[in-house]
Amino acid sequence: MAKRNKIAHEILDSERRYVDSLLLLQQTFLDPLMAVVGTDAEILPKRVIQCIFSELAGIVNVNTELKRQLEDRIENVSWDPGHGRVGDIFLNMAPFLKMYSSYVKNFNSALSTVEDLTAKVPAFADFVAKKNKVCHGLNLQSYLILPVQRIPRYKLLLEDLMKHTDVEHPDQPTLKQSLNRISEVAVFVNETIREHEMMQSLIDVQRSLRGLREDLVSPGRRLIHKGTVQKICRKRHQTRHLILLSDYLIYSSPGLLEDQYIFHRKLDLELCEVIDVPDTQDLRHIFQIVSPEKSFAMYTDEAEEKQKWIQAIRRTVRELRSNRSTLRNEGDRLTARERKKKLHNYSAPVWVPDDAAHSCMVCSQEFSVLKRKHHCRACGKVVCHICSSRYFIIPGLEKDHPARACNPCYERISQEGKLQVVPTDATSPPTSPVSPNSPSSPISLTSSAPLASPPLPSTSPADDTSTRPRPRPSGARRVRPVSMAPQLWSMLGKNFIEHTGPLSPTSSTRPRAPSEVSSSAGVRECSLCRDTFSLMKWKYLCAKCGRSMCSDCASKKSQMQLCDPCYHGLSPLNIIVDERGGGWSAPCVDDDIDERKDVASEVIVPACN
C-alpha cells in the first residue's frame, strides 16, 4: 500500500503544479490583454484573444475544482491507501474534461496566430517579450501547450495507480471506469499532438525554402523523409536537398546560410516512379525519379540511404494512390483518370550529361563553339540544332507546352499518334541520318540513309506568291545556316576538328550523285562553285538535294533553303560541276522548265527555349 499512497500524492502534487501554471498563463497574459480591450491601449481585439486562449478560463475552473477534491481526499487525516478511493473523483470530473477537446482542436490555430501577431504587431511582440521574463524561463507557446499535454499525463498516472490496486480494493471498479474515460480523451489528444508536431515540421521546412510561393501546411499532409543527395546534372553533379511529403516530392539546393535551401521544383508524387539503377564503374548507389514533369538521376553516399529513399518513395506513392482513389467522388475519379491517361503517354527523360557527348548522337557531327548542344525532350540525348529543329507538345498538369525533339523521336511520335506534334513546313530540312548511337530510332541501325523529306510544292508563275515576303508568326525565326565552326577553327589554327583528306577529283563531265555531295561533315568548299567556305562565305544545305552550297549558289528567294538548280527545278543528276572552280552547268532542257518557279515556302520554326 505504500506504493499506492506514493502514487496518490504524486497525482495531487502534479495537479497543484499544473493549476499554478494555468493561473500564471491566465493572470500574466489573458487577463491583461482583456483588461485593455476597447480602450486606447488595446493591443489585440477580443476576437483574436479568444482565438489564442480558447477554453482556458473553463479549464482553469475545472482543474481548480479537481485539485480541491484531491486535496480534501488525500490530505485528510482519515486517508488510508488500503481503503481510500481516488477513481470516483476522476469519474465524476471526466464529463467536464471534454472541454479539452475544443482547446486541443484550436491549439494549432492558436500557435499560428501568436506567430503571425508577433511578426506583424509590434505592440503584441513587446507585450509578450516583457511577460516572458517573469514566466520562469518559458515563453507563451510553452504555457499554451500545457493543457494539450495534461490528458496523456492523467492516463499515465491512473494506469500506474491501477497496477498497485488490488482486485478486491473498493477503488478498483471506479478507477477502471475513469481510466477508460480518460483513455478515450487521450487518444484524441495524442493524435492532435502528432498533427501539431507534423505541422511544426512543415513550417520549419517552409521557412528553410527560399523561392517557394505556396503554403506547405495543409490538412493531412505529412513530412515523410528528407536528406541530401547528389544529382547528376547535364554539366556536373550537384548537391540537392530532397524533401518527401505525403503528396509531393520537393528538391532544392543548399543556400548561402546554414539550414537554408533554394527551392527548385515540386513533383506530384502520384505521378512519380522510382527506379533502382545498378552500380556502374564510376558511380554507385544510383536511383532515378521519373515523372511527366521532370526526371533525373541521383546517388547517395551509402547503399543503406539509397534503399531508404527508394522504399520511402514507393510506400508513400502506394498510400497516396490508395487514399486518393478511395476519397474521390465519381466526378473527381473521371478527372483523375483523364489526367493519368493524358500523362501516361509521356515521361520526362533523364538527360544525357553534356560531357558524355562530344558529337551529335544523331548525325555524329562534332560539337563546337557555333554548333551548340541541345537535349531532346523525348529521349534525353544530346543533339545538334539541325537534328532537333522540330517540336512536339508535352502534356502538362495545367497547360500543354511545345518541346524540342530529335528527328528520330519526332518521326516515332508522329507514327504512334499518342502525342501531338507541331507540324513543319513542307520545306523543312531533311531528317538527319540515324547514328548507331540512337537506339530509339525507327530506322534500322544498319542503315545510314536519311529519312525521306516531303516533296516540294510546285507552283505556276501565275499563282506563285512564295516570292513575296510572308508575315512571320510571333516567337518564330528562320532556320539557322549550317555551323561554320570547322572553317573558324581552321583559320585560327586550332586542330579541334578532325580534318578529312582532300576531296577526290571527279570528272567535270560526270554528274555527281546526291549521296556524294550531301555529307556536310567534312565538306570545306561549295559543291557548285568550288569556293572555300569562310567567315564571309557561309555554308548552307539544300533542303531538297542535300548538297553543301555557299550563299552565292543558294537561292535568295527560297531564303537560302534551296540551291539554284533545285530552285529552277533541275534534277541533281543533270548538274555538271566544273571541279576547277568554273561553276556549274546543265544539259539543254525544255523551255518550260526554265520558266517554272518551283520555289519553296519560307521555313518557320518555333524559337528555342
Side-chain angles (χ1 to χ4, degrees):
M1 292 295 115
K3 183 66 175 177
R4 189 174 191 275
N5 185 51
K6 181 179 179 181
I7 297 174
H9 282 84
E10 182 181 352
I11 292 176
L12 176 58
D13 294 338
S14 174
E15 189 66 19
R16 284 172 174 170
R17 292 191 299 269
Y18 174 60
V19 172
D20 291 342
S21 298
L22 291 181
L23 291 174
L24 178 63
L25 176 63
Q26 183 182 34
Q27 297 170 1
T28 305
F29 293 96
L30 176 58
D31 292 345
L33 289 173
M34 292 295 295
V36 296
V37 171
T39 66
D40 295 338
E42 179 181 285
I43 300 176
L44 297 176
K46 183 178 180 179
R47 177 182 57 83
V48 177
I49 297 175
Q50 291 176 345
C51 177
I52 296 175
F53 297 96
S54 186
E55 301 290 339
L56 178 62
I59 292 176
V60 171
N61 294 332
V62 170
N63 284 90
T64 301
E65 177 63 22
L66 177 60
K67 184 191 74 167
R68 186 192 65 78
Q69 293 186 21
L70 289 174
E71 288 177 342
D72 293 344
R73 181 70 59 83
I74 299 176
E75 289 189 338
N76 193 291
V77 293
S78 61
W79 164 256
D80 179 10
H83 299 85
R85 297 190 302 169
V86 176
D88 61 324
I89 298 178
F90 283 95
L91 185 60
N92 294 332
M93 296 299 297
F96 299 97
L97 296 179
K98 291 182 179 180
M99 66 174 58
Y100 274 83
S101 301
S102 300
Y103 185 91
V104 171
K105 288 180 181 178
N106 187 68
F107 176 67
N108 291 337
S109 176
L111 287 186
S112 301
T113 303
V114 170
E115 184 179 352
D116 293 340
L117 293 175
T118 304
K120 298 177 181 179
V121 182
F124 180 73
D126 295 339
F127 171 80
V128 172
K130 292 178 182 179
K131 297 300 181 179
N132 285 340
K133 296 179 181 180
V134 296
C135 291
H136 310 295
L138 299 177
N139 56 17
L140 174 59
Q141 291 89 332
S142 300
Y143 281 95
L144 287 175
I145 200 175
L146 290 178
V148 179
Q149 299 171 335
R150 189 58 185 169
I151 298 298
R153 179 64 175 164
Y154 283 145
K155 183 174 181 292
L156 294 176
L157 291 172
L158 292 179
E159 286 177 346
D160 198 12
L161 184 62
M162 188 74 177
K163 291 179 181 178
H164 297 84
T165 302
D166 296 335
V167 179
E168 295 81 8
H169 197 284
D171 194 27
Q172 205 272 345
T174 54
L175 188 61
K176 184 177 182 180
Q177 294 180 27
S178 61
L179 180 59
N180 292 336
R181 293 283 185 90
I182 296 297
S183 298
E184 293 176 359
V185 180
V187 170
F188 172 78
V189 172
N190 287 334
E191 291 295 330
T192 306
I193 292 177
R194 277 195 289 269
E195 291 180 5
H196 164 67
E197 293 175 348
M198 189 59 62
M199 185 195 71
Q200 190 61 45
S201 63
L202 291 176
I203 292 176
D204 295 339
V205 168
Q206 183 151 3
R207 287 176 177 174
S208 66
L209 291 176
R210 293 292 178 262
L212 181 62
R213 297 290 183 260
E214 59 182 286
D215 192 2
L216 285 183
V217 180
S218 177
R221 180 173 293 165
R222 297 174 291 113
L223 175 63
I224 305 300
H225 188 53
K226 62 180 180 178
T228 301
V229 298
Q230 297 296 320
K231 181 173 177 285
I232 304 176
C233 301
R234 56 180 297 185
K235 293 185 178 180
R236 60 184 180 274
H237 299 176
Q238 297 180 349
T239 302
R240 291 290 183 264
H241 186 71
L242 288 184
I243 302 171
L244 177 62
L245 305 178
S246 56
D247 54 349
Y248 286 103
L249 177 65
I250 297 176
Y251 71 91
S252 57
S253 59
L256 297 178
L257 302 178
E258 186 178 1
D259 296 332
Q260 294 294 320
Y261 302 94
I262 301 174
F263 172 78
H264 286 274
R265 193 181 294 268
K266 184 181 73 170
L267 302 177
D268 188 348
L269 204 60
E270 187 179 8
L271 305 175
C272 291
E273 292 186 7
V274 60
I275 300 176
D276 189 351
V277 180
D279 294 344
T280 64
Q281 184 177 1
D282 300 326
L283 294 176
R284 303 179 63 186
H285 319 317
I286 315 171
F287 63 99
Q288 292 181 354
I289 301 295
V290 179
S291 73
E293 186 177 357
K294 180 71 175 179
S295 300
F296 48 89
M298 63 197 105
Y299 59 92
T300 60
D301 294 334
E302 302 293 338
E304 182 180 355
E305 181 66 17
K306 168 190 171 180
Q307 293 301 323
K308 185 182 298 184
W309 273 111
I310 293 177
Q311 294 173 6
I313 294 175
R314 288 177 176 173
R315 181 178 63 254
T316 308
V317 169
R318 286 195 303 266
E319 293 176 356
L320 178 63
R321 291 174 179 174
S322 176
N323 294 338
R324 286 185 175 178
S325 62
T326 303
L327 296 176
R328 287 186 180 121
N329 55 36
E330 188 63 27
D332 293 338
R333 288 195 186 98
L334 292 176
T335 303
R337 193 179 300 115
E338 292 175 358
R339 186 180 68 164
K340 285 185 178 180
K341 182 179 179 181
K342 180 180 179 182
L343 297 176
H344 177 71
N345 297 327
Y346 175 79
S347 291
V350 178
W351 286 9
V352 176
D354 284 358
D355 56 2
H358 302 288
S359 60
C360 175
M361 301 180 73
V362 175
C363 68
S364 300
Q365 292 193 29
E366 292 186 353
F367 295 115
S368 61
V369 174
L370 298 181
K371 195 174 189 66
R372 299 176 57 191
K373 297 179 179 180
H374 300 275
H375 278 85
C376 173
R377 266 60 173 183
C379 64
K381 293 181 179 179
V382 184
V383 291
C384 64
H385 171 75
I386 297 298
C387 296
S388 60
S389 60
R390 296 187 282 186
Y391 292 75
F392 71 102
I393 301 298
I394 294 180
L397 299 179
E398 298 180 355
K399 61 179 181 179
D400 300 342
H401 60 278
R404 180 187 297 271
C406 64
N407 292 336
C409 288
Y410 184 89
E411 297 294 338
R412 174 178 56 82
I413 294 173
S414 300
Q415 294 174 5
E416 292 177 350
K418 296 181 179 179
L419 299 176
Q420 181 183 356
V421 296
V422 178
T424 57
D425 203 305
T427 58
S428 299
T431 306
S432 301
V434 179
S435 170
N437 297 328
S438 177
S440 64
S441 168
I443 319 176
S444 173
L445 296 179
T446 59
S447 173
S448 60
L451 296 174
S453 59
L456 295 174
S458 177
T459 59
S460 62
D463 57 359
D464 179 21
T465 59
S466 60
T467 57
R468 291 196 298 243
R470 206 182 331 171
R472 179 165 305 190
S474 175
R477 55 179 175 78
R478 294 187 179 92
V479 176
R480 295 184 296 182
V482 180
S483 170
M484 285 299 299
Q487 290 73 35
L488 177 61
W489 292 117
S490 178
M491 293 177 62
L492 296 177
K494 305 296 183 181
N495 293 321
F496 294 115
I497 299 179
E498 180 181 358
H499 294 281
T500 59
L503 296 176
S504 301
T506 58
S507 172
S508 62
T509 60
R510 183 179 65 86
R512 303 182 68 191
S515 60
E516 299 181 33
V517 298
S518 61
S519 178
S520 63
V523 177
R524 302 293 187 268
E525 59 183 21
C526 176
S527 61
L528 294 175
C529 67
R530 294 307 180 192
D531 286 349
T532 303
F533 295 124
S534 65
L535 289 175
M536 303 303 296
K537 187 180 286 291
W538 283 62
K539 180 199 295 186
Y540 296 84
L541 286 179
C542 177
K544 187 173 183 180
C545 67
R547 70 170 72 246
S548 301
M549 58 185 176
C550 64
S551 57
D552 293 336
C553 297
S555 172
K556 310 301 185 295
K557 293 184 179 181
S558 66
Q559 301 293 342
M560 302 297 185
Q561 295 300 307
L562 299 177
C563 62
D564 281 336
C566 289
Y567 175 77
H568 290 288
L570 300 177
S571 173
L573 297 177
N574 294 330
I575 303 303
I576 301 176
V577 179
D578 189 347
E579 300 295 341
R580 296 170 298 181
W584 60 275
S585 60
C588 181
V589 294
D590 297 338
D591 294 339
D592 59 340
I593 296 180
D594 294 332
E595 296 177 358
R596 186 174 60 189
K597 299 295 183 181
D598 186 12
V599 182
S601 302
E602 180 183 18
V603 178
I604 303 297
V605 297
C608 291
N609 292 329

